[in-house]
Amino acid sequence: MNRLTPLPTIMVAPNGARRGKADHPALPITIAETIATARACHAAGAGALHAHVRDAEGAHVLDAGLYAELIAEMKQAIPALPVQITTEAAGVFTPADQRALLRQITPEAVSIALVEMLADGDHAAARRCYHSLAEAGVAVQHILYDAEQLHWLVKEIAAGTIPDTNLTVLYVLGRYNKGQISAPDDLSPFLAMAKDLGLTPDWAVCAFGTAETACLAVAHALGGKIRVGFENNLHMADGSIAADNAARVAEVARLIR
């Protein structure tokens, strides 16, 4: 069984695809910075790393070589902290690019946005990708941006595009919009839809904006897991700017204790 099946209670997402040093000087860009951040976040209570890699200019890339380097160095530096890579398109990469990444590397875990992987309508290629991951024992987390995408997920499972095993999802509250503030009530449609569909996935939540902590507290109280970090929010619960990702992890770790 994969170490990310089931999900850890807290996963840290320290950088994402869009923010850089101009947004916060402690946001990790290089592999060395990501490992140092991961070490501090693990000490603060994180059970896994949601990892993005960046090129020499700091841009988000789907680069198998960089991911392999990060994973290898993480295993040496912090062997107890599993790594989840991502296929996030970030408005740049195609479904074919995402599938190509996953042919070049077999990670321990990967997050895949349903709406991005199926954007080209090539269900046969998507099926090969998802089933290859399942056969290799890769823990796939399905990223869902609204409740209706749960219905879509069920449809694709029924069609055989996605294997019906170890179903793991991330409910995303909000978007990459300037001034976005998600609210705990944003979670309700996801939970209601899952109940209507008879789904009982291993679920987690991430939330954009300054109400991230409140959203994560509600998710945990309702039985969900937490993804926290600078990918989605730079603020502490009191509205102040967090010193670093470890401060965000420590705050939610204290909250759930």
Side-chain angles (χ1 to χ4, degrees):
M1 186 66 72
N2 193 291
R3 284 188 295 167
L4 278 172
T5 307
L7 290 169
T9 301
I10 300 174
M11 181 182 293
V12 63
N15 53 8
R18 293 165 173 82
R19 287 190 166 121
K21 295 292 188 183
D23 297 293
H24 197 299
L27 188 143
I29 298 295
T30 67
I31 287 176
E33 289 173 342
T34 299
I35 292 171
T37 296
R39 181 181 287 109
C41 289
H42 182 47
L49 170 69
H50 171 75
H52 291 249
V53 289
R54 305 292 187 91
D55 65 16
E57 285 70 48
H60 163 71
V61 288
L62 300 184
D63 187 299
L66 288 174
Y67 269 130
E69 180 181 348
L70 173 63
I71 291 167
E73 294 195 22
M74 283 286 295
K75 285 182 178 178
Q76 288 294 319
I78 322 165
L81 194 70
V83 177
Q84 178 195 73
I85 73 168
T86 180
T87 62
E88 183 173 343
V92 176
F93 298 103
T94 67
D97 294 329
Q98 295 171 66
R99 294 189 291 264
L101 171 70
L102 295 171
R103 287 195 298 271
Q104 296 168 46
I105 187 170
T106 304
E108 185 171 20
V110 60
S111 68
I112 303 174
L114 186 69
V115 68
E116 293 179 349
M117 182 60 80
L118 296 175
D120 61 357
D122 192 341
H123 286 67
R127 184 185 189 283
R128 289 193 294 272
C129 179
Y130 282 117
H131 283 262
S132 292
L133 293 170
E135 290 165 7
V138 177
V140 175
Q141 184 181 46
H142 302 282
I143 309 301
L144 305 174
Y145 291 97
D146 61 56
E148 285 300 318
Q149 290 182 12
L150 272 165
H151 191 274
W152 189 6
L153 179 63
V154 169
K155 179 182 176 182
E156 296 301 338
I157 291 172
T161 307
I162 294 171
D164 186 15
T165 55
N166 298 323
L167 188 61
T168 302
V169 300
L170 178 76
Y171 300 142
V172 180
L173 309 187
R175 295 289 186 276
Y176 289 104
N177 296 329
K178 186 175 181 180
Q180 170 74 51
I181 300 178
S182 303
D185 285 349
D186 295 341
L187 177 59
S188 299
F190 289 101
L191 300 183
M193 179 65 77
K195 183 177 180 180
D196 288 347
L197 294 170
L199 284 181
T200 56
D202 188 12
W203 61 278
V205 165
C206 70
F208 287 89
T210 55
E212 177 189 43
T213 305
C215 294
L216 299 182
V218 169
H220 176 71
L222 294 173
K225 312 293 178 61
I226 289 170
R227 199 186 83 178
V228 63
F230 282 1
E231 175 167 352
N232 301 108
N233 167 56
L234 304 173
H235 295 80
M236 302 295 282
D238 64 5
S240 63
I241 298 294
D244 51 27
N245 277 283
R248 294 298 304 123
V249 173
E251 181 167 67
V252 299
R254 288 193 298 272
L255 187 73
I256 66 176
R257 284 199 296 267

